Amino acid sequence: MVRQVLSVASECLGLVKTGGLADVVAALPGALAGQGWAMRVLLPAYPGLAARLAGATEVWADANLFGGPARVLAGRAAGLDVLLLEAPHLYDRPGGPYSGPLGDHADNAERFAALGWAAAEIARHGTAEGWRPEILHAHDWQAGLAPAYLRYGPPAAVRSLVTIHNIAFQGIAPARKLADLRLPGAAFHPDALEYWGNISTLKAGLVTADAITTVSPTYAAELMRPEYGMGLEGVIARRAAEVHGILNGVDTGLWNPESDPDIHPYSARAISGKARNRQELLKEFGLGEVPGPLAVLVSRLTWQKGIDLLPEVLDDFVAGGGGLAVLGSGDAPLEAALLAAAARHPGRVGVRIGYDEGLSHRMFAGGDAVLVPSRFEPCGLTQMYGQRYGAIPVVAGTGGLADTVIDASPAALTAGAATGFVFRPVDVLGLAQALRRLLALHADRRAWAMVRARGMKADFGWDRPAAAYAALYARLLA
Ligand code: ADP
């Protein structure tokens, strides 16, 4: 018997993306199909999305959803069963999913409350065509009110869970919006959705959902500590028995060095083809010969990602023979610091400011190592892409990074288990030391080849995580 689950999110790869959340939301339905679960994805109908929905049928409507008429269209898009919430007064405007030309939308609380409301109504009553999910799976603060509306409304048979992709974003709204957001006065309490005098839609989800998941086991444990919980550590720790860390998978079809159309193909067994990718990457970044390892970094350029540590360690790394190619965009001071570092190390350090999927593939294919010095990292994807492409990861020992890279300690090297370098504390000394170890490994050709080969064989597919989600759904219904 195929069981039904409603996924509720603000992003989905192929339709709208600003970060890793979109990749997960898009990958889950395919992965869960193999586990006997049919997943539909409910998204806001941002401009242009409805036109891309094949076989669109209206399955739900509300004459006045937070200030205007709304309806949900069901159909196929980006290879998925999609439900689009059409509410032109909320979503039909220029810009990204959260902000326009003037910054964040002032009515984001209403915009995503609407998403949560439609989700809860469909979960409780089903759609007009009679589709009804057993599980509501909400993602991040944007969907955090969906379990809350279920909890505060009439009883419903559906079970709910909320997945934290990044606790840094908490969906804060002023308390005065409580009634407008159709939330009961009694919920405005520190044990419920109040967060220091405001509403937090993420907290609302965390206290009302039947279970909480996050995207790696280590991040699940970290979230209960003040250093990482960003004020919500107590809320999460109180629910520790219902908190689960399920590592994200990666799309192994899209990220496969043997079939990637953006690169010269190669494999663990025929690794020599990687050299051509390296040569072309050096050229693309205007770099000369790099005698040591060529490291790459593909990232948002923010404090979270530890980007400020990089310029501090480059003199040493370059003197040791290393080179670096960076692709990313983000905070202007960090972009400027990286560009200045590149100017100080002509021929060895190259920086490209921007977002470029194709180039990112060429970087993992051409790189000998991939750097991820994040201060916190719920899961992280590029360390997994790097391993599949034979770029040895150098990562901070936090969150999903700690769960996906096995440090090349003497014991792990002897056992043949090592896949990269894991450092902490996450500071200049930690990163510098990890890069010294990378240089030393590079000088030992056999050990280097062994670590690289081990990473290329690691299983980062979606089968295991999908089985874990399916087991959790079943447990919630038992
Ligand atoms: P986050 O979601 O915090 O940004 P993740 O590592 O989970 O970090 O996911 C980031 C995703 O975005 C990865 O797929 C990464 O390759 C991609 N990415 C980040 N910056 C760029 C860029 N400038 N160009 C291309 N892809 C990028």
Side-chain angles (χ1 to χ4, degrees), residues 19-20 298-300 305 327-328 354-357 360 380-382 385:
V298 180
S299 182
R300 292 186 288 120
K305 302 291 183 179
L327 168 64
Y355 188 96
D356 187 335
E357 294 269 350
S360 76
L381 294 172
T382 61
Y385 300 152

Side-chain angles (χ1 to χ4, degrees), residues 230-442:
M230 302 210 171
L232 291 174
E233 58 274 6
V235 176
I236 296 168
R238 269 198 293 286
R239 301 209 57 195
E242 290 114 27
V243 175
H244 308 268
I246 301 176
L247 199 65
N248 285 337
V250 303
D251 186 330
T252 51
L254 212 59
W255 294 96
N256 181 352
E258 295 181 48
S259 55
D260 188 332
D262 286 310
I263 67 169
H264 301 291
Y266 60 94
S267 67
R269 259 174 300 153
I271 191 77
S272 56
K274 189 170 165 67
R276 192 162 160 207
N277 291 292
R278 185 183 193 271
Q279 215 40 49
E280 290 186 8
L281 186 64
L282 287 172
K283 213 154 96 201
E284 189 162 2
F285 272 85
L287 302 180
E289 264 320 303
V290 173
L294 172 64
V296 299
L297 181 140
V298 180
S299 182
R300 292 186 288 120
L301 303 178
T302 64
W303 180 87
Q304 177 200 334
K305 302 291 183 179
I307 302 302
D308 51 305
L309 307 177
L310 278 177
E312 309 284 326
V313 299
L314 280 180
D315 286 356
D316 239 31
F317 185 56
V318 166
L324 175 68
V326 175
L327 168 64
S329 65
D331 299 347
L334 293 174
E335 291 181 354
L338 285 173
L339 289 167
R344 275 201 309 278
H345 300 288
R348 284 294 194 85
V349 175
V351 173
R352 188 74 63 82
I353 301 298
Y355 188 96
D356 187 335
E357 294 269 350
L359 177 56
S360 76
H361 285 246
R362 296 195 291 282
M363 290 175 72
F364 298 117
D368 300 310
V370 57
L371 308 186
V372 196
S374 307
R375 289 191 167 85
F376 66 94
E377 193 60 78
C379 179
L381 294 172
T382 61
Q383 82 282 9
M384 295 194 263
Y385 300 152
Q387 285 176 71
R388 286 184 60 77
Y389 282 65
I392 292 177
V394 177
V395 305
T398 182
L401 302 173
D403 292 330
T404 52
V405 180
I406 300 172
D407 182 64
S409 66
L413 282 170
T414 306
T419 58
F421 295 92
V422 184
F423 67 93
R424 62 177 307 146
V426 186
D427 56 17
V428 170
L429 290 176
L431 175 59
Q433 185 60 14
L435 289 175
R436 272 180 223 122
R437 295 171 68 209
L438 180 77
L439 291 170
L441 186 75
H442 192 259

Side-chain angles (χ1 to χ4, degrees), residues 47-201:
L49 288 197
R52 295 176 54 191
L53 201 62
T57 325
E58 182 180 312
V59 297
W60 181 86
D62 187 329
N64 185 1
L65 185 64
F66 300 108
R71 59 179 191 155
V72 169
L73 300 172
R76 295 277 300 172
L80 306 171
D81 285 320
V82 173
L83 299 171
L84 280 185
L85 175 59
E86 254 192 349
H89 60 295
L90 299 173
Y91 306 129
D92 195 7
R93 51 181 86 168
Y98 318 117
S99 55
L102 301 176
D104 281 358
H105 298 305
D107 59 349
N108 272 344
E110 290 82 355
R111 295 174 74 232
F112 294 102
L115 181 70
W117 184 270
E121 287 296 296
I122 287 172
R124 184 181 281 116
H125 304 295
T127 63
E129 10 126 58
W131 181 79
R132 185 195 292 247
E134 289 179 88
I135 294 281
L136 184 158
H137 187 159
H139 297 273
D140 272 350
W141 70 268
Q142 299 91 337
L145 287 181
Y149 290 133
L150 279 177
R151 175 63 54 89
Y152 299 134
V158 66
R159 302 277 120 192
S160 63
L161 69 154
V162 63
T163 297
I164 304 168
H165 296 264
N166 191 338
I167 197 91
F169 307 104
Q170 303 184 349
I172 302 295
R176 64 181 152 75
K177 290 198 176 185
L178 196 70
D180 288 347
L181 296 181
R182 303 181 183 170
L183 291 164
F188 194 71
H189 187 279
D191 287 338
L193 52 70
E194 179 192 346
Y195 186 73
W196 300 104
N198 287 310
I199 298 164
S200 161
T201 63

